[in-house]
Every structure is written in C-alpha cells, then in structure tokens.
C-alpha cells in the first residue's frame, strides 16, 4: 500500500543548513526578533505540517501568476513570477536578501505593480502589519513603488486586495528592526520575547518552534529602547 502522506513529506523535506550572521531574509521583517535570533543559534527542521502550509502558499502563488499570464487577461502583463530582493546595509555590516516566491511583478495600464500573494485561512479586514513590512522592503529593493497585497482564501479561493504605496518612513522603521536583530546576534545577547509582550504578535507564540527554549530563557534585560517605545504605544 502506498503511503501518500509519506510521499508528500519526503518530497517537501529540505536539508537544514546553519545560518550566517549578517545575512537575513526579508520575510523576517515583521516576525518575533527572539524567534529569528534562535534560528541562528539552534538549527531545526521545518515541521512537516508547516512545510505543507508553505507549499500550499507556493501553489497559490503559481496559480495567480498563471491567471495573470493567461491569454484571457491580456490587459495585465506578467513581467516576473519570482523576484530577487537584495538590500545591502554596508554601514551596519549585514545584507537582506532572498528570492521571493510569493511576489509577482505586473504592468497594468503602463504602471508597474508588485503583487504579494498570501494564502490565508481567513481574509483580514486590513493588511497585516508583518506583510506590509515585507512589501515595503520589496518595493524599496526593486524601486517599484506601487504594490498590491493580495489575500487568497484557501478553501474557496475568495480574494481581497489592498493597494499599497511606498513609504520611506515605514522602510526606515523596518530596517531599524534588522539593526536590532543584527546587534543582538553580534553581541550574542538574546532579545526580549516581543511576541509575548506585544499583544498583536501574541499569536506567533502558538506556532513558534522555539517556544520551549523561549520559556526557559525567560525575559531578557529591558534595555531595548525601540521595543520599549513600541510597548508604550501599545498601552496608549
């Protein structure tokens, strides 16, 4: 008897390589800094269930790209299905880079748009902050300053889109987060557990592969000025 679950898990399995301090992924922009810090300290394989969720997202991206590229939709021109992103921060000593597989570049009525495709269980009423941070980095890197956040509901393929304009201020705020991450890694100093402390990020703890290690580490010294400012805004 063929075990198709095993076949799928074998197909999706990927070798885990140790990460290099100073090379970061755009998708980490809005995540918990402590969780990202742990990925450099403790290598872990992606859980099988999470790999499947990622693959569903990849397939959804491919379908959207196929729809745009179709002869039935000639008023929209597909330029690229996957976009390389690279932001050099030489003064800070690190680089943000990666080949983004949920990003599509299109032209509509002569205007270029970056379309970030996210497959979701529930369509949000507004774009999620961590997704906007990624899209702002993509627009900054590619110099395409018009974007679309495209949410696709997994079970019935319902879609909601949000147009996003480039914001230099938001990019600067996101880059400051990478500065904080890099500083903590270089100093070998664990960040505070921001996903536990910031209400809108609490949900991240439920899916974190480092929840046990985080609990054991406890709270780091409260000397992160940027995080303290964010917590003050949460209280107001």
């Amino acid at each position: 008897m063929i075990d198709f679950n095993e076949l799928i898990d074998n197909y999706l399995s990927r070798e885990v390589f140790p990460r290099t301090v100073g090379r970061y992924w755009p998708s980490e922009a809005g995540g918990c800094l402590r969780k990202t810090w742990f990925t450099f300290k403790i290598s872990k394989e992606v859980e099988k269930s999470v790999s499947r969720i990622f693959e569903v997202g990849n397939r959804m991206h491919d379908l959207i790209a196929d729809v745009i590229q179709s002869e039935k939709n000639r008023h929209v021109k597909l330029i690229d299905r996957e976009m390389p992103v690279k932001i050099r921060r030489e003064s800070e000593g690190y680089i943000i880079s990666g080949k983004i597989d949920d990003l599509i570049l299109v032209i509509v009525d002569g205007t270029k748009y970056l379309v970030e495709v996210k497959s979701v269980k529930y369509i949000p009423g507004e774009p999620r902050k961590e997704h906007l941070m990624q899209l702002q980095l993509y627009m900054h890197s590619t110099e395409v300053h018009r974007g679309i956040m495209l949410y696709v509901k997994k079970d019935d393929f319902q879609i909601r889109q949000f147009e996003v304009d480039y914001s230099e201020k938001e990019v600067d705020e996101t880059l400051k987060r990478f500065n904080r991450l890099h500083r903590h890694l270089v100093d070998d100093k664990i960040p505070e557990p921001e996903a536990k402390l910031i209400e809108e990020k609490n949900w991240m703890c439920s899916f974190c592969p480092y929840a046990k290690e985080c609990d054991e580490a406890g709270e780091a010294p409260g000397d992160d000025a940027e995080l303290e400012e964010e917590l003050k805004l949460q209280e107001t």
Side-chain angles (χ1 to χ4, degrees):
M1 187 70 176
I2 300 175
D3 186 338
F4 281 92
N5 279 306
E6 181 181 6
L7 293 181
I8 290 172
D9 290 335
N10 289 341
Y11 173 76
L12 296 178
S13 65
R14 299 289 185 270
E15 187 175 354
V16 178
F17 297 98
R19 299 194 60 183
T20 302
V21 173
R23 298 191 68 88
Y24 308 119
W25 301 328
S27 59
E28 294 169 327
C32 176
L33 290 188
R34 176 175 283 196
K35 184 259 186 179
T36 303
W37 186 89
F38 269 123
T39 66
F40 286 84
K41 303 298 180 178
I42 306 172
S43 297
K44 288 190 177 185
E45 291 186 9
V46 178
E47 293 184 8
K48 294 175 181 179
S49 59
V50 175
S51 292
R52 293 185 181 207
I53 292 172
F54 287 162
E55 186 63 19
V56 169
N58 292 338
R59 301 288 176 169
M60 196 72 73
H61 162 272
D62 289 341
L63 178 56
I64 294 295
D66 289 342
V67 167
I68 294 172
Q69 200 169 19
S70 169
E71 288 293 316
K72 298 177 181 179
N73 294 309
R74 295 183 181 180
H75 60 292
V76 181
K77 182 179 180 181
L78 178 73
I79 300 177
D80 207 335
R81 302 169 69 108
E82 292 183 353
M83 299 289 295
V85 170
K86 182 172 289 187
I87 301 173
R88 294 187 180 276
R89 301 280 288 168
E90 294 180 358
S91 62
E92 303 291 342
Y94 66 85
I95 185 172
I96 304 167
S97 66
K99 192 171 185 180
I100 312 305
D101 56 12
D102 62 359
L103 200 61
I104 299 170
L105 179 60
V106 301
I107 290 182
V108 184
D109 297 328
T111 301
K112 289 184 179 180
Y113 289 86
L114 282 179
V115 183
E116 185 177 1
V117 183
K118 294 294 185 184
S119 60
V120 293
K121 189 174 182 180
Y122 303 105
I123 293 180
E126 59 184 15
R128 283 167 47 177
K129 185 175 180 180
E130 62 270 20
H131 294 160
L132 288 175
M133 294 172 90
Q134 292 178 44
L135 184 54
Q136 289 291 345
L137 281 182
Y138 301 156
M139 290 192 285
H140 178 75
S141 173
T142 61
E143 297 185 350
V144 176
H145 289 174
R146 300 294 298 275
I148 296 174
M149 274 301 320
L150 190 70
Y151 289 101
V152 185
K153 198 161 175 277
K154 296 176 183 179
D155 59 354
D156 60 5
F157 207 61
Q158 291 297 306
I159 289 176
R160 187 169 186 180
Q161 64 191 61
F162 302 88
E163 289 199 26
V164 179
D165 291 326
Y166 175 74
S167 168
E168 187 174 343
K169 179 182 177 182
E170 291 181 23
V171 170
D172 287 342
E173 291 174 355
T174 301
L175 292 176
K176 285 180 182 178
R177 289 183 55 77
F178 280 102
N179 292 350
R180 288 161 57 191
L181 171 63
H182 185 63
R183 185 169 65 244
H184 278 286
L185 284 165
V186 170
D187 294 342
D188 195 22
K189 184 178 180 181
I190 190 169
E192 293 186 74
E194 61 176 3
K196 290 182 179 180
L197 301 174
I198 300 173
E199 186 175 351
E200 66 180 21
K201 293 185 177 182
N202 289 167
W203 64 270
M204 296 180 181
C205 295
S206 302
F207 303 93
C208 181
Y210 298 97
K212 180 175 180 292
E213 290 85 353
C214 181
D215 288 340
E216 292 173 349
E219 289 195 18
D223 58 356
D224 192 324
E226 291 91 345
L227 177 59
E228 294 303 316
E229 185 63 29
E230 197 166 350
L231 290 173
K232 288 179 182 178
L233 291 174
Q234 176 177 281
E235 293 172 357
T236 59

